[in-house]
Amino acid sequence: MKGKAMINIISPKNLVYSRPKAFTDTPTHYCPGCTHGTAHRLIAEVLDEMNIADKTIGVAPVGCAVFAYNYIDTDFVEAAHGRAPAMATGIKRLLPDRVVFAYQGDGDLASIGMAETVHAAARGENITVIFINNTNYGMTGGQMAPTTLPGQKTTTSPNGRDVELQGYPIRVAEMLATLEGVGYVVRRSLHDPKNIRLAKKAIRTAFEVQVRGLGFSMVELLSTCSTNWGLTPVESLKWLEEHMLPYYPLGDYKIAPSVAAVKI
Amino acid sequence: MTRELWKGNEAIAEAAIRAGLEGYFGYPITPQTETLEWMSRRMPELGRIFLQAESEPAAINMVYGAACTGARVMTSSSSPGISLMMEGLSYIAGTEVPVVLVDVMRGGPGLGNIAPSQGDYNQICHGGGHGDYHPIVLAPASVQEAVDLVPLAFDLAEKYLNIACVLLDGSIGQMMEPVELPEMRPVVRKEYAWATTGAKDRSRHVLTSIYLEVGLEEEVNLRLLKRWEAIKANEVRFKEYYLDDAEIAVIGFGTAGRVALSAVRAARAQGIKVGLFRPISVSPYPYQQVAALAERVKSLLVVEMNTGQMLEDVRLAVSRRIPIEFYGRLGGVVPFPDEILGEIQRIAKQPPSLEGHPAQRWLERMTAPQR
């Protein structure tokens, strides 16, 4: 009631910010301080701007974003854990003129689904992957992920990740950049407004790459997980900046020549 | 149509193509690889989709995604590869999209070998993937029958939004036989009310197998079960041979059933009143027909290329009304007709016991010291 009343007092000429059309009017289930909602919204804004929501099929992961389809208002399928790139491949091959994107977390994409990720990228599969890296398994309660930082405490590395025993975190964007089939692979972050704007631009580029048939595109988004990190939302943003950025530098890891030539 | 000499695995692939297959995703594994190879040449030349996946889990999930578009799609594999696909199959069942699977069974467990076996019966017919679901499973006994069952598998999968599996063993996949292939059917992309094709001028479609609300998940399970009841009522298939006056009935599916037919003919030539009941749909299983058979004959002989997996379905149908004997060969061994004939002769001479378990008696005979 209160929300409606507030909307009514905004005259159309003063309206500078509203819910994207490709975003459903549903409160998300995400924790306070989580950046999934931001990432979802950026995708919805890009779908609106490109006017492609009605030809887009999303592939949801297993993880916190399992219900991404409750918020992003396109046709959607829900994949098995890690298999989103394979499912997206099946859809895209049968419907090459549609836009197909997978939305995946780090456990989904970089652990159980690494084979599907690498091979979809190697094939140059014309799909877009939005990769949420928050250094842990969020939905199951904060276990160690392939992206967990050295020394980082999780429920399955209670003394901190010991690289001698548990190995090193994987830099997915850098790794995929070595593959010929990749058109566009970048890493962005969601920890402040400037970076969120840059993240949106990258998401837009990734979808444009797909629409133009220029190969596999992925945007890795450094994200927060306040609940499992045991930090407040503000502390989480700071933690991301201080701890994740040094290990996961932001940047463009592969921009194929055909992509570089595209003006967006 | 003329009859042509075709290898089983290639004939299955061509039959699927002629049935309007739009997309095939697979991974090499002996003894089914020729299906993959045939698809790799034929599908692109017809402008259709072929993709060699990086693994069986990827292949089945590509098929899963492709099925969500409403296209006619399939994959094929052999036993170890089928094990890897079980996760995807459970998701496909839970999402209620039509998929055809071909399993060319080989010896197991584990890496086993590449020889013909029927060891996947339980995995395919009675589970495999997690959760409550039932695939339709059709078991051909010849290359021609395989060719005939592939288009039926597509029609059934799409009619019931169910997994339909063609279950054969390596010998049918590898042997060449004269077959009559069906006419080329045009590719028809059906307009399903659920397909995820982009929400243009319609409300959006979401295909999922997650229902956190337990009441909703129960509803899904009930819906699947109701559909299975309809499949059980309408889609039982089997073949009978020489059963009119039979006192002994042999029951076997696929290659075991085919070899048993030779044994039955040989026994008939010796005056033994024996016939063959060959289930074609091993899921839904012809329980009622086998139960009715038990009213007509005096004893049963179940023949399989496994340790007696279908035997348990026969026992379920027959209860303890008449004695059952079992004969199986394992690990990739195909029984000779003479071996089965020997079993028929033994049963004709001395009716078996109602007591005990047929597979236990068989095991004792199999492992008794040779004299």
Side-chain angles (χ1 to χ4, degrees):
Chain A
M1 283 303 283
K2 201 179 169 194
K4 269 188 184 153
M6 282 178 69
I7 288 165
N8 287 341
I9 62 165
I10 299 171
S11 67
K13 67 175 180 347
N14 294 331
L15 186 68
V16 289
Y17 192 78
S18 64
R19 184 169 52 80
K21 272 197 307 194
F23 216 30
T24 64
D25 190 6
T26 312
T28 74
H29 69 285
Y30 298 116
C31 305
C34 169
T35 45
H36 266 307
T38 311
H40 284 14
R41 186 187 161 101
L42 297 183
I43 293 167
E45 286 180 0
V46 166
L47 295 176
D48 275 7
E49 286 167 19
M50 293 176 69
N51 198 23
I52 54 171
D54 64 357
K55 56 184 277 191
T56 294
I57 298 119
V59 184
V62 171
C64 285
V66 64
F67 292 121
Y69 52 76
N70 284 344
Y71 316 122
I72 300 172
D73 197 6
T74 63
D75 271 14
F76 244 98
V77 298
E78 164 51 43
H81 196 23
R83 317 295 180 219
M87 223 181 160
T89 296
I91 297 169
K92 185 71 180 184
R93 293 277 174 145
L94 270 295
L95 300 172
D97 62 341
R98 310 299 206 282
V99 178
V100 181
F101 78 93
Y103 186 103
Q104 299 178 263
D106 36 20
D108 193 84
L109 179 143
S111 192
I112 195 167
M114 187 60 111
E116 284 78 3
T117 301
V118 169
H119 284 276
R123 285 192 304 269
E125 209 64 58
N126 240 312
I127 58 172
T128 299
V129 175
I130 306 301
F131 169 36
I132 304 298
N133 176 357
N134 61 9
T135 74
N136 79 118
Y137 284 80
M139 187 172 71
T140 44
Q143 292 73 37
M144 188 181 72
T147 46
T148 296
L149 294 173
Q152 186 181 344
K153 286 184 179 173
T154 69
T155 62
T156 51
S157 56
N159 300 317
R161 181 178 191 156
D162 179 351
V163 294
E164 292 299 320
L165 294 173
Q166 292 150 327
Y168 292 87
I170 299 170
R171 297 185 180 96
V172 176
E174 286 87 331
M175 191 174 68
L176 295 185
T178 64
L179 299 170
E180 287 298 324
V182 171
Y184 183 72
V185 163
V186 301
R187 180 181 295 119
R188 298 289 185 266
S189 178
L190 300 174
H191 70 280
D192 64 23
K194 180 191 161 207
N195 279 288
I196 288 169
R197 277 198 295 276
L198 291 171
K200 180 180 166 183
K201 209 169 163 221
I203 293 168
R204 171 77 189 252
T205 305
F207 277 97
E208 295 282 359
V209 165
Q210 181 180 168
V211 168
R212 286 166 169 76
L214 300 179
F216 183 86
S217 54
M218 187 190 82
V219 180
E220 176 174 343
L221 296 173
L222 301 185
S223 302
T224 56
C225 186
S226 300
T227 299
N228 290 315
W229 290 355
L231 301 173
T232 67
V234 173
E235 286 167 353
S236 299
L237 296 170
K238 269 201 194 105
W239 192 89
L240 186 164
E241 197 174 359
E242 284 167 17
H243 295 89
M244 289 179 74
L245 290 185
Y247 195 91
Y248 298 113
L250 305 183
D252 301 343
Y253 288 96
K254 180 161 183 199
I255 298 182
S258 56
V259 174
V262 173
K263 292 276 172 281
I264 296 158
Chain B
M1 286 290 279
T2 49
R3 270 153 58 94
E4 297 169 311
L5 200 57
W6 279 79
K7 185 172 192 164
N9 284 336
E10 294 175 349
I12 285 167
E14 183 62 22
I17 288 165
R18 295 191 185 188
L21 178 71
E22 275 198 85
Y24 174 91
F25 304 84
Y27 186 82
I29 184 169
T30 310
Q32 71 77 51
T33 304
E34 295 84 0
T35 300
L36 176 84
E37 289 174 335
W38 189 264
M39 293 292 188
S40 74
R41 187 172 68 76
R42 281 287 279 157
M43 292 293 275
E45 91 186 3
L46 292 165
R48 306 186 196 173
I49 303 303
F50 165 85
L51 188 58
Q52 181 172 326
E54 62 270 27
S55 65
E56 285 92 350
I60 193 68
N61 282 286
M62 289 173 185
V63 167
Y64 180 19
C68 290
T69 70
R72 184 165 266 203
V73 293
M74 70 173 279
T75 187
S76 59
S77 190
S78 177
S79 312
I82 297 291
S83 292
L84 284 167
M85 290 184 178
M86 281 300 159
E87 176 203 48
L89 290 167
S90 173
Y91 279 72
I92 288 164
T95 309
E96 302 168 69
V97 288
V99 160
V100 166
L101 170 74
V102 175
D103 179 7
V104 187
M105 292 180 281
R106 62 186 240 184
L111 202 46
N113 57 35
I114 56 173
S117 161
Q118 297 182 326
D120 297 0
Y121 179 90
N122 276 344
Q123 185 186 34
I124 293 287
C125 298
H126 295 311
H130 57 281
D132 273 310
Y133 72 96
H134 300 271
I136 297 165
V137 186
L138 307 168
S142 67
V143 177
Q144 181 66 60
E145 197 170 34
V147 160
D148 296 340
L149 290 178
V150 166
L152 175 68
F154 283 113
D155 292 339
L156 294 179
E158 289 164 16
K159 180 176 179 186
Y160 295 104
L161 303 181
N162 209 83
I163 296 162
C165 177
V166 179
L167 182 70
L168 56 146
D169 63 76
S171 60
I172 297 171
Q174 291 296 320
M175 76 166 91
M176 292 185 86
E177 287 193 294
V179 291
E180 197 177 307
L181 280 156
E183 297 280 355
M184 182 73 87
R185 275 200 245 170
V187 168
V188 181
R189 181 80 58 94
K190 289 184 183 156
E191 292 288 325
Y192 290 110
W194 45 262
T196 51
T197 55
K200 181 136 186 87
D201 305 323
R202 61 160 169 79
S203 57
R204 74 195 183 113
H205 296 160
V206 174
L207 289 173
T208 184
S209 66
I210 181 171
Y211 303 92
L212 284 189
E213 271 183 55
V214 293
L216 284 180
E217 183 68 74
E218 189 176 50
E219 262 177 46
V220 172
N221 274 274
L222 288 172
R223 183 165 69 236
L224 292 179
L225 187 58
K226 213 164 179 190
R227 194 175 297 157
W228 182 242
E229 288 299 325
I231 293 168
K232 273 161 62 180
N234 299 320
E235 308 301 345
V236 167
R237 288 171 169 81
F238 57 90
K239 255 189 164 167
E240 296 186 346
Y241 308 81
Y242 310 107
L243 279 173
D244 288 347
D245 63 341
E247 294 175 356
I248 303 168
V250 182
I251 304 180
F253 71 95
T255 293
R258 176 173 174 162
V259 177
L261 182 58
S262 300
V264 164
R265 287 190 176 125
R268 279 276 168 182
Q270 295 172 9
I272 301 173
K273 288 185 171 175
V274 59
L276 172 70
F277 182 91
R278 184 166 65 79
I280 293 172
S281 63
V282 282
S283 173
Y285 195 78
Y287 290 109
Q288 286 174 14
Q289 290 74 11
V290 171
L293 186 63
E295 303 289 336
R296 287 150 59 193
V297 299
K298 290 178 181 158
S299 49
L300 294 173
L301 169 64
V302 174
V303 180
E304 295 183 78
M305 283 147 61
N306 60 41
T307 58
Q309 298 185 18
M310 184 191 70
L311 170 65
E312 296 305 328
D313 283 319
V314 173
R315 293 180 75 222
L316 197 60
V318 173
S319 191
R320 289 165 66 83
R321 266 172 289 186
I322 56 168
I324 303 171
E325 282 288 62
F326 174 70
Y327 186 73
R329 292 307 302 265
L330 314 170
V333 181
V334 181
F336 283 102
D338 282 358
E339 299 169 43
I340 301 171
L341 175 61
E343 293 295 305
I344 295 169
Q345 287 167 332
R346 193 170 57 77
I347 294 166
K349 211 178 286 171
Q350 168 106 48
S353 169
L354 264 176
E355 302 305 314
H357 194 293
Q360 274 173 355
R361 290 196 295 273
W362 159 76
L363 182 61
E364 278 164 26
R365 289 195 300 275
M366 278 290 282
T367 54
Q370 297 286 317
R371 272 194 242 171

